[in-house]
Amino acid sequence: MCGIIGYLGKNEKKEILLDGLQELEYRGYDSAGIAIIENKKLKNFKAVGRLKNLREKTKDYLSEGFGVSIGHTRWATHGKPTELNAHPHMGAYSFVVHNGIIENYQELKKELQAQGVNFLSQTDTETIVHLFEKNHDMSNNTWQAFQTTLSKLEGAYATLLITEADEESIYFAKNGSPMLIGFDGEDIYFASSDTPIIGKATEVYYLEDGEFGYAKDGKIYLFDANGEKAFSTQALATDKAMAQKDGYRFFMEKEIYEQGQVMNDTMMGRVLDDKIDLEELDLNLFENITNIKICACGTSYHSALSASYLFERISKIPCQIEIASEFRYKEPLLREDTLFITISQSGETADTLEALKMAKRAGLKSLSICNVDNSSIVRESDASILTRAGIEKGVASTKAFATQTMVLWMLAIYVAQAKKTISSELLEQELQAMRETPKALIVNDKLHAKMTRLSKRYLHGHGFFFIGRDIFYPLALEGALKLKEISYLHAEGYPSGEMKHGPIALADAELFTIALMPKSLHYEKIKSNVEELCARDVTLLAISPEPFELADDYVQTTYNSHPMLEFFEMMVITQLLALEISVRLGNDVDMPRNLAKSVTVE
Ligand code: M6R
């Protein structure tokens, strides 16, 4: 989803903006642009496609001396990915970049057009810059014009504006989309997340919704609805190494390999010898709670679905799962004895964030499980548990899913401890299985080579069915999502017992079936379901510790008495399968077409 960068200071601005945008690539984009004002000279460049196109266009330009500058990577929402629709958007003497959606832009646009304003793009963003200039033409006061402009905007936005009418300031506002301000002496940076400014700024301030203001003379003037406000900064993280590829071909590949390691971080200080300790939680959070509702999107929804089995089975608490975009408009009946849990890798997913706000308005207590500290969802929640997966750059989520699932598993045990629904023997078994999880996630060379070899047989066909039962059903959904995201092949996840109620009609030799057949959970049941499919001649890839003679292809996993260990081992196999199929098809593994890492629009 769109990324924003801004810089005010004396250093060369073009490289700061382009490098910053490079760090925001993971959010997904289809065009990019920059605008710089310095020494009364205004420069603006835009390009469709990858940042290298923008670099090429700007190669003969270098900024000099003090100035203000803004940049943007755009993921098309209103209007196609063209140069005219790329940000920064231009008025007669000002430029704006924006992330989010101005919901009333049609109305504003009509009013402005009626006053003779000519629009160049099809975007909602362009209304901001024209509105600002109209207001400025009337008041001749840039700050007042900016505030009047904000008062007219409805929807979500993070926005930066620079203008020749005040060449020394950057105007900013945040409402619903992420933005932070970085500081290094008198140099000031703006960005959608902290990666672009790590190594440049030393201190950071994460803007809250409803905050706006301007940067001038190395200072920030910050306001909200109550007027000017004081703020304090915090030290900015310095470790960018985690965000580099470390010799892997793709970030996604590196992130698959990292899962064993990051899982240790996820469990550190939480999985103790005799219990789960989540020190970020106060037991009050669970007072008077009789059920749990979990709300999320995409991969995070799949981890929620697997957790629903664990909460009911281990914690003995009713647990319902909701897709955030559906939940928002179903007029849900919310009861205050429900704990509302949101799960999000980015912490910025608009649907999940809005669902959380709805639950809070209804008086529910909230808990978020998130990978990004200080993200909007974390800040909005009563409590949160961080997944500690480190920066995930591949658009297709891998280690975030693994760590979310682990946090949910720990939480299920934690609730069971508090409710005393778990015996000491079972608790010991669960803790032991958790300790063995990092080992189950290790990718060995033989396995990876096998998946590379197998992948060449799965590049065509009329579709994939990933099937499983119980917690392996959400894993099947996740395996199918991974494959479709990066291979662009059609794939579905299905409960294996449900195939006979319809999808079995599709069965023939060109239907690739990936069967998750754990030995520790309902093996005989899933075996019968798979046999029914084999009798209809599907091409079968069986993933199981138990050899299966009807399988066309077979990946052997470890015999494990705990289903979660089988779950994590099979998860890695499905991730590698998707990766290797995508590589053979020549796709962009880390930035698949049409997808964005952080989905900040509904
Ligand atoms: O950041 P979130 O976890 O809230 O994102 C939710 C989905 O957009 C995300 O999981 C998406 O499905 C990924 N591309 C999956 O690989």
Side-chain angles (χ1 to χ4, degrees), residues 297-300 343-347 349 352 395-397 404 478 481-482 485 595-597 599:
C297 302
T299 286
S300 299
I343 307 177
S344 174
Q345 186 285 128
S346 61
T349 302
T352 312
V395 165
S397 188
Q404 285 167 348
E478 176 58 11
L481 181 65
K482 282 298 80 90
E485 282 186 296
L595 296 180
K597 184 67 184 163
V599 187

Side-chain angles (χ1 to χ4, degrees), residues 187-250:
D187 286 359
I188 293 185
Y189 298 83
F190 293 87
S192 301
S193 69
D194 39 27
T195 27
I197 62 166
I198 291 178
K200 296 191 168 79
T202 51
E203 293 282 309
V204 65
Y205 175 70
Y206 296 93
L207 285 163
E208 298 283 341
D209 283 346
E211 291 184 333
F212 57 95
Y214 58 97
K216 194 182 183 79
D217 297 330
K219 290 199 197 76
I220 290 290
Y221 300 86
L222 184 72
F223 297 77
D224 66 12
N226 301 317
E228 188 161 4
K229 63 190 283 196
F231 64 98
S232 40
T233 60
Q234 61 191 79
L236 178 68
T238 51
D239 182 12
K240 214 147 80 171
M242 284 287 279
Q244 307 303 328
K245 275 191 207 155
D246 280 354
Y248 290 98
R249 294 169 297 170
F250 309 100

Side-chain angles (χ1 to χ4, degrees), residues 331 464 469:
E331 297 178 28
F464 286 75
R469 273 178 176 259

